[in-house]
Amino acid sequence: MTPPTRKKSERRTDALSRERIVEAAVDLLDTAGESGLTFRALSERLATGPGAIYWHVAGKGELLAAATEHTVTTALAGGTGGPPEEIHAVALGLFDAIEGHPWLAAQLATQLSHHPSGPVALRVFETIGRQVHALDVPASSWFTATSALVHYILGAAGQNAANRMRARDLGPEADRSAYIDSVAQSWKRLDPEDHPFIRALADQGLDHDDRAQFLAGVDLIVAGMTAPLPFS
């Protein structure tokens, strides 16, 4: 009697590439977060062994950096038009990427602070800096103007993503308008002597379109780029 054939574990028959590994890592980060990105989980998703992945990527740190670079490169594809339109396209690309990938904001902060000469930091700064240059901003202000834009875009986009996650944590029945109104009401109850400005904001109403407000902030920075610096 012929012994039963042992069923082998399913394996991919197509070639495993670094690009495929990085794309799978992005998907895994989106669904399971940074803690869920393990080589075991990635091996199962790719139907391969850890050794095949290590052939292309040395470790988790390199994998996170590659996933961040891949996502940022896609976000910075840009649009067509003059510098203001290009800046809008880049800003919204990063805004949407950070909102769509909850892990990205923290990774961008890590890359910019710990690896300022790395590919992610250089790509973000170069892409935005070229548009600052195209706006005829004085050369002496290039670094200041570009830094202001980069920090505003990443900071505001990161805060928006955090707000979205907070809203999801409140449950599927949570109403954004009701939540914002509750914040406004709590601000109105603040001591008028200690918080006159915040109370005034609450009286105006806090509801707004997040993307429109984000772009308004971008435009404020762009509008001031050609003005003389007060301490230059």
Side-chain angles (χ1 to χ4, degrees):
M1 181 175 177
T2 303
T5 302
R6 170 181 282 179
K7 185 177 180 180
K8 294 183 179 180
S9 299
E10 184 181 352
R11 287 288 184 265
R12 297 189 69 98
T13 57
D14 51 344
L16 186 66
S17 67
R18 180 183 173 89
E19 181 179 4
R20 181 175 289 116
I21 291 170
V22 171
E23 290 174 349
V26 170
D27 290 340
L28 193 56
L29 283 164
D30 289 346
T31 56
E34 185 177 337
S35 62
L37 179 63
T38 65
F39 274 64
R40 178 176 180 179
L42 196 56
S43 298
E44 293 175 356
R45 184 171 289 251
L46 291 167
T48 190
I53 298 175
Y54 278 113
W55 178 263
H56 296 277
V57 184
K60 184 172 180 176
E62 182 180 334
L63 189 57
L64 281 167
T68 303
E69 183 179 4
H70 172 82
T71 307
V72 168
T73 299
T74 302
L76 293 179
T80 57
E85 292 78 17
E86 286 290 334
I87 289 173
H88 272 205
V90 167
L92 285 177
L94 288 169
F95 183 90
D96 291 339
I98 290 172
E99 181 177 285
H101 304 280
W103 52 274
L104 185 58
Q107 284 304 310
L108 275 169
T110 297
Q111 292 296 318
L112 268 65
S113 61
H114 296 289
H115 307 288
S117 296
V120 171
L122 293 178
R123 189 180 296 276
V124 170
F125 211 80
E126 177 71 23
T127 301
I128 295 175
R130 287 185 184 185
Q131 301 310 318
V132 170
H133 180 202
L135 284 169
D136 293 327
V137 174
S140 60
S141 299
W142 284 355
F143 181 78
T144 301
T146 304
S147 296
L149 258 181
V150 169
H151 291 139
Y152 170 77
I153 290 170
L154 298 183
Q159 184 62 56
N160 174 74
N163 291 343
R164 293 281 181 174
M165 292 180 67
R166 165 69 175 160
R168 285 195 292 267
D169 290 343
L170 294 175
E173 302 301 322
D175 179 83
R176 182 180 186 274
S177 297
Y179 173 71
I180 291 177
D181 184 62
S182 69
V183 173
Q185 293 304 319
S186 69
W187 284 11
K188 288 179 181 180
R189 292 192 292 270
L190 293 171
D191 188 304
E193 293 187 4
D194 291 338
H195 304 284
F197 179 74
I198 294 177
R199 282 173 57 95
L201 286 181
D203 288 336
Q204 293 176 13
L206 303 180
D207 201 9
H208 59 269
D209 180 277
D210 293 329
R211 290 165 68 86
Q213 185 191 56
F214 172 71
L215 287 180
V218 170
D219 290 340
L220 281 173
I221 296 173
V222 171
M225 281 183 176
T226 55
L229 291 175
F231 304 109
S232 59

